[in-house]
Amino acid sequence: MTEPRLWNDVDDYLTALLAPPDDALSAALRDSDAAGLPHINVAPTHGKLLHLLAVIQGARRILEVGTLGGYSTIWLGRALPADGRLISLEYAEKHAEVARRNLARAGLDKITEVRVGPALDSLPKLAGEDPAPFDLVFIDADKVNNPHYVEWAVRLSRPGSLIVLDNVVRGGAVTDATTDDPAIRGTRAALELFASHPKLDATAIQTVGVKGYDGFALARVLP
Ligand code: SAH
Ligand code: DHB
Ligand code: MG
């Protein structure tokens, strides 16, 4: 099959032009790899997309579910003003430690915070702090809980907030309505929620490139 090589060549071309690595991004991936973290961070062009979406959104407050080594967190954090705030939720202490170092090296430690624990524990705790609404929520953790994360994202948002859901295509597996795979079932349930929720207006985009064949979904929170 020639297509994946073509996708990768095009992705390399676009990345070099439009989302070239800098020292902090390269070091974040290098140290994540050295610590044994899986290579499941967003692609550079998608990190740049998250960054641009946050800038277009005028985001001052961002919530991320699923930090890993903080690669997507750096792209998002760089969209914030000096008094902005990004909270990222991560299950694994080791991932959070790597991410905090990567965020500090990127100069983002003042405005970013990585909270450790299952996100379904961290989210109610966060809600209990009665936080100002988040302008953008990026959901990229365990896919089985995606519908719960969407519900929490709506609850912690305001009209006009943007919710981004990663990995909604998974090589096409998303169309299998009979699958037993809890990750696919979770993502299908989240997409169905995107479609049916009275407070959401959504779409999804298929993607190809260095991360293979996947996609993401976007939802705007309605009044
Ligand atoms: N957003 C990152 C990639 C995240 S990978 C990037 O693009 O750079 C998914 C992360 O979600 C992993 O670090 C994993 O440990 C974390 N995770 C898995 N289950 C979780 C849970 N229940 N709560 C919070 N984080 C979880
Ligand atoms: C996986 C998770 C991700 O968030 C991703 O972007 C790619 C792969 C995974 O769990 O395999
Ligand atoms: Mg992902």
Side-chain angles (χ1 to χ4, degrees):
M1 198 156 111
T2 58
E3 286 86 348
R5 203 182 73 209
L6 186 58
W7 301 341
N8 287 347
D9 288 350
V10 172
D11 217 354
D12 288 346
Y13 168 74
L14 295 175
T15 298
L17 261 185
L18 301 168
D22 56 33
D23 289 349
L25 288 166
S26 298
L29 292 180
R30 186 196 63 219
D31 284 9
S32 298
D33 184 53
L37 273 50
H39 299 163
I40 55 174
N41 50 275
V42 294
T45 51
H46 297 171
K48 182 69 179 284
L49 175 65
L50 290 171
H51 173 83
L52 287 172
L53 288 170
V55 171
I56 292 163
Q57 181 70 356
R60 307 184 67 81
R61 294 177 50 81
I62 296 175
L63 175 64
E64 177 176 66
V65 187
T67 319
L68 192 65
Y71 180 77
S72 56
T73 324
I74 293 174
W75 281 110
L76 286 166
R78 285 177 172 175
L80 287 170
D83 62 346
R85 187 111 200 106
L86 186 158
I87 297 177
S88 189
L89 310 179
E90 171 55 51
Y91 177 77
E93 176 66 48
K94 180 173 127 177
H95 296 186
E97 280 168 18
V98 173
R100 288 185 189 116
R101 280 199 300 276
N102 287 335
L103 289 163
R105 182 170 37 211
L108 294 166
D109 44 331
K110 295 268 190 308
I111 57 172
T112 59
E113 180 189 350
V114 182
R115 297 189 177 189
V116 177
L120 287 181
D121 290 350
S122 303
L123 286 161
K125 261 183 229 155
L126 178 59
E129 296 164 21
D130 202 18
F134 292 91
D135 308 303
L136 188 156
V137 183
F138 178 46
I139 301 173
D140 190 23
D142 52 325
K143 311 310 176 193
V144 63
N145 285 315
N146 271 340
H148 302 297
Y149 298 148
V150 170
E151 296 279 16
W152 277 108
V154 174
R155 183 159 163 198
L156 294 166
S157 297
R158 55 161 174 87
S161 291
L162 177 64
I163 303 172
V164 183
L165 183 65
D166 198 22
N167 310 115
V168 300
V169 173
R170 285 298 178 95
V174 70
T175 59
D176 185 355
T178 63
T179 183
D180 293 327
D181 181 338
I184 301 298
R185 292 173 68 95
T187 291
R188 285 178 59 89
L191 287 170
E192 284 154 27
L193 200 51
F194 264 25
S196 65
H197 200 296
K199 288 185 91 173
L200 295 176
D201 192 19
T203 192
I205 299 290
Q206 302 186 64
T207 57
V208 292
V210 292
K211 296 288 167 177
Y213 172 36
D214 212 325
F216 59 90
L218 292 178
R220 183 167 191 268
V221 179
L222 296 169

